């Protein structure tokens, strides 16, 4: 956690959500390792995005770069339910509230929710934990 900005310069891990979780991790180690792998792929994607190799974010690009876990957006049933949608809203450090429907599916029902910012060409990782309400 302490080295996140040097190891993952193109990602922002929200400190109140991700920092708290990572610094007191008590779930299975394989979930943490898969999370690390996903973060490394996201970092690689952002570097290529900023270099102009990609013009937008797409889930397929993460898979093409070697992401072994499934990545997707939310289902219509989640998107259309105000309560479920609210669970996936997160505040960024700059005061913006964003909908983090994109997520990496990790072992044991864990999810990593994130927001790819098209203007900054940066990924904000907002949540890592058990599956949110379906």
């Amino acid at each position: 956690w302490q080295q996140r900005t040097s190891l993952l310069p193109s990602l922002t891990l929200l400190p109140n959500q991700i920092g708290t979780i990572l610094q007191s991790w008590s779930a299975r180690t394989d979930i943490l390792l898969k999370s690390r792998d996903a973060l490394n792929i996201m970092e690689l994607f952002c570097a290529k995005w900023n270099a102009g190799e990609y013009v937008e974010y797409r889930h397929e690009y993460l898979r093409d770069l070697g992401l072994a876990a499934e990545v997707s957006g939310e289902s219509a049933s989640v998107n259309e339910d105000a309560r479920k949608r609210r669970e996936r809203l997160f505040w960024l450090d700059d005061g913006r509230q964003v909908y983090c429907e994109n997520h990496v599916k990790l072992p044991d029902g864990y999810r990593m929710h994130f927001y790819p910012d098209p203007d900054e060409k940066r990924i904000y990782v907002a949540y890592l934990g058990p599956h949110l309400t379906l």
Side-chain angles (χ1 to χ4, degrees):
W1 174 251
Q2 300 302 325
Q3 298 176 11
R4 69 190 177 282
T5 55
S6 60
L7 294 172
L8 305 166
S10 301
L11 304 181
T12 297
L13 308 177
L14 299 184
N16 289 340
Q17 290 86 2
I18 304 299
T20 302
I21 290 165
L22 289 178
Q23 293 180 78
S24 61
W25 189 260
S26 62
R28 294 178 6 201
T29 303
D30 64 321
I31 298 167
L32 187 60
L33 294 175
K34 290 278 187 184
S35 300
R36 181 199 61 197
D37 294 345
L39 292 171
N40 286 331
I41 294 295
M42 288 178 184
E43 176 62 34
L44 177 59
F45 165 76
C46 285
K48 291 177 175 287
W49 196 10
N50 280 289
E53 293 183 45
Y54 298 110
V55 296
E56 63 188 355
Y57 169 81
R58 290 188 184 179
H59 303 317
E60 303 85 57
Y61 297 152
L62 297 180
R63 288 191 287 271
D64 292 347
L65 291 170
L67 182 64
E70 185 180 343
V71 61
S72 67
E74 287 296 353
S75 64
S77 64
V78 169
N79 286 330
E80 295 166 5
D81 183 308
R83 184 181 57 81
K84 294 174 186 173
R85 188 176 169 85
R86 213 172 9 261
E87 264 190 286
R88 290 149 176 88
L89 289 173
F90 293 91
W91 291 98
L92 302 182
D93 293 340
D94 64 9
R96 289 183 292 156
Q97 188 177 39
V98 296
Y99 180 48
C100 297
E101 73 165 308
N102 298 304
H103 58 280
V104 176
K105 296 177 181 178
L106 299 165
D108 204 27
Y110 273 66
R111 298 291 186 264
M112 180 188 300
H113 284 262
F114 62 94
Y115 173 74
D117 187 319
D119 297 324
E120 295 182 32
K121 296 182 180 175
R122 174 174 213 79
I123 291 179
Y124 291 86
V125 181
Y127 177 80
L128 172 61
H131 200 300
L132 297 170
T133 305
L134 280 174

